[in-house]
Amino acid sequence: MHNSTPLITTIVGGLVLAFLLGMLANRLRISPLVGYLAAGVLAGPFTPGFVADTSLAPELAEIGVILLMFGVGLHFSLKDLLAVKSIAIPGAIAQIAVATLLGMGLSHFLGWDLTSGLVFGLCLSTASTVVLLRALEERQLIDSQRGQIAIGWLIVEDLAMVLTLVLLPAISNMMGNQHVSFGQLFTELAITLGKVVAFIILMIVVGRRLVPWILAKSASTGSRELFTLAVLALALGIAFGAVEFFDASFALGAFFAGMVLNGSELSQRAAHDTLPLRDAFAVLFFVSVGMLFDPMILIHEPLAVLATLAIILFGKSAAAFLLVKMFGHSQRTALTISVSLAQIGEFAFILAGLGISLGMLSEHARNLVLAGSILSIMLNPLLFSLLESYLAKTEVIEDQSLEEIVEDEAQTPVAFCDHALIVGYGRVGSLLGAKLIQQGIPLVVIENSRPRVEALREQGISAVLGNAANQEIMTLAGLECARWLLLTIPNGYESGEIIASARAKRPTIEIIARAHYDDEVTYIMARGADKVVMGEREIANNMLDSINIGMAMPPRAEGCTI
């Protein structure tokens, strides 16, 4: 490594390795997170070849933690949590307790002390937000009853871990000073909690008003750079202030920065503009965590690794399954939630790092946590595939609740022809659909959002739930006898794959697609589209038409000499 540029070398090396191994993981149908962690292992001191700067990696990881927690807060929905609070809150708390106790049991068997066992157990108790949401999205379960329970469960876990991050330093100080009385320990803990409560109240009362005002002022300048800078300055500044003035954690500060930002009308723009930076530092976070992992533990202590993995895959999942069944839900809901939670991720890394810094966890324990995380994330898609196969073979309609029966009701093919087939019913799709309806043209919509499909059906519009890249979905939508295929989704490359599949099945259909960039236009046309509409070009053409249509040259303005 070039000693003169350790920061640049570490960032470049980490991102390049993460990209290469992330692409490989994606090709193998494994979560890219596994590739990012593997990139860290290759860049770490325990493997030959390139070695990144291990002193800089923790600071990059800390920025990654701040931005990860900022993203969690930015998407935190109290409404979603309240909708499933009766099962998510008690279920998540009980499952955390069971997983923590199992981890403490394993630590006792390995000869660790009680404190290490507590932190180790907590590390094994919480699932990865990124992995869970991606798994639900791929299977179109986000809007289902099962998906909502899993997401609510995850939110409760996140909140519990945020509280844990705050309390661990106080607990460490108490346990480290053996001459302190119980009263003094209680006082110290009360002071710590009081500071955190003061910070939370300040954010809710002042931050909820001040942060949106700052964002509005920065947006009013018309400068995208200033707006993005305002978002990042608020996220990082609030996180730093939480540590500096309230003895809280970067994670808690960043979480509440995102949460109060979520209350702003500009929150969607804030999320969109900062997403590339959040993603980049999130990748560096996973890389820096992988750098800490010694792969030799897989060879030296395979039984301990297998025991850790068993707690993650079976112990906490069995607890979740039983808890969901106790609340009266079906077997498929219980199995879906238990499989969703059968992995650990971000918070496990954050807790393990904090435990190391406080002297409450050993490097050996962190290696077990990292091994369990990498293996569980890798196996999670396989578990979902096994679950789907099992349910398809064994489940009968009586096993489902009424809501689930409605969700999984078989979709019937459309019963008419010569219709327009619209893929995507967002802002562009809905405007287009309204125009077609006004002209009396039959319409079928393909959407992967269940609430949107249900709303369309209530309006009397034929809608099919699913991904248009799936040939079965296209068949249900009547591709064989449709007159037009209109793709309004914003991803041009995804549109290209749908077009190629549709053109192969129905060569004569007229296909019109939407694009944002010139390279997308070229790609979509090459895949078989008849016409591609690019938003910026249409705006320019319409403005030009508005100038020329039926207008003579306007009279020269008074005082104009040109």
Side-chain angles (χ1 to χ4, degrees), residues 230-348:
V231 175
L232 293 174
L234 287 168
L236 297 173
I238 291 173
F240 181 79
V243 175
E244 189 73 13
F245 302 111
F246 296 93
D247 293 332
S249 65
F250 286 118
L252 182 70
F255 174 79
F256 272 93
M259 191 174 172
V260 297
L261 224 58
N262 191 18
S264 168
E265 294 179 357
L266 296 167
S267 60
Q268 289 187 351
R269 180 179 168 186
H272 178 269
D273 287 359
T274 59
L275 182 61
L277 191 61
R278 284 192 285 130
D279 284 347
F281 273 97
V283 170
L284 288 175
F285 167 69
F286 289 110
V287 170
S288 66
V289 169
M291 288 173 61
L292 303 173
F293 176 61
D294 183 359
M296 294 306 294
I297 195 173
L298 300 174
I299 299 173
H300 294 156
E301 297 194 48
L303 294 179
V305 172
L306 287 175
T308 302
L309 187 61
I311 292 174
I312 298 169
L313 295 184
F314 304 113
K316 61 184 289 194
S317 297
F321 176 84
L322 293 174
L323 288 164
V324 175
K325 289 290 287 182
M326 284 173 56
F327 280 90
H329 290 273
S330 69
Q331 177 175 283
R332 81 164 10 207
T333 296
L335 285 171
T336 301
I337 293 171
S338 61
V339 169
S340 299
L341 301 172
Q343 37 80 18
I344 58 173
E346 302 92 295
F347 273 110

Side-chain angles (χ1 to χ4, degrees), residues 446-530:
I446 297 179
E447 250 293 344
N448 55 18
S449 168
R450 189 179 301 275
R452 193 170 287 170
V453 167
E454 291 174 352
L456 286 168
R457 289 172 178 171
E458 289 176 0
Q459 298 170 28
I461 299 173
S462 296
V464 177
L465 176 65
N467 191 325
N470 187 325
Q471 291 190 4
E472 293 181 3
I473 297 298
M474 280 295 209
T475 300
L476 288 172
L479 174 66
E480 290 84 351
C481 62
R483 185 173 177 182
W484 300 280
L485 174 60
L486 310 171
L487 294 102
T488 66
I489 55 177
N491 188 327
Y493 289 94
E494 181 182 351
S495 295
E497 295 305 309
I498 296 171
I499 290 166
S501 177
R503 183 63 75 193
K505 193 169 185 179
R506 177 84 190 284
T508 58
I509 190 171
E510 184 176 352
I511 302 177
I512 304 174
R514 166 191 179 187
H516 284 290
Y517 306 102
D518 290 325
D519 58 340
E520 288 184 344
V521 173
T522 303
Y523 179 79
I524 292 172
M525 291 297 294
R527 303 299 280 179
D530 295 292

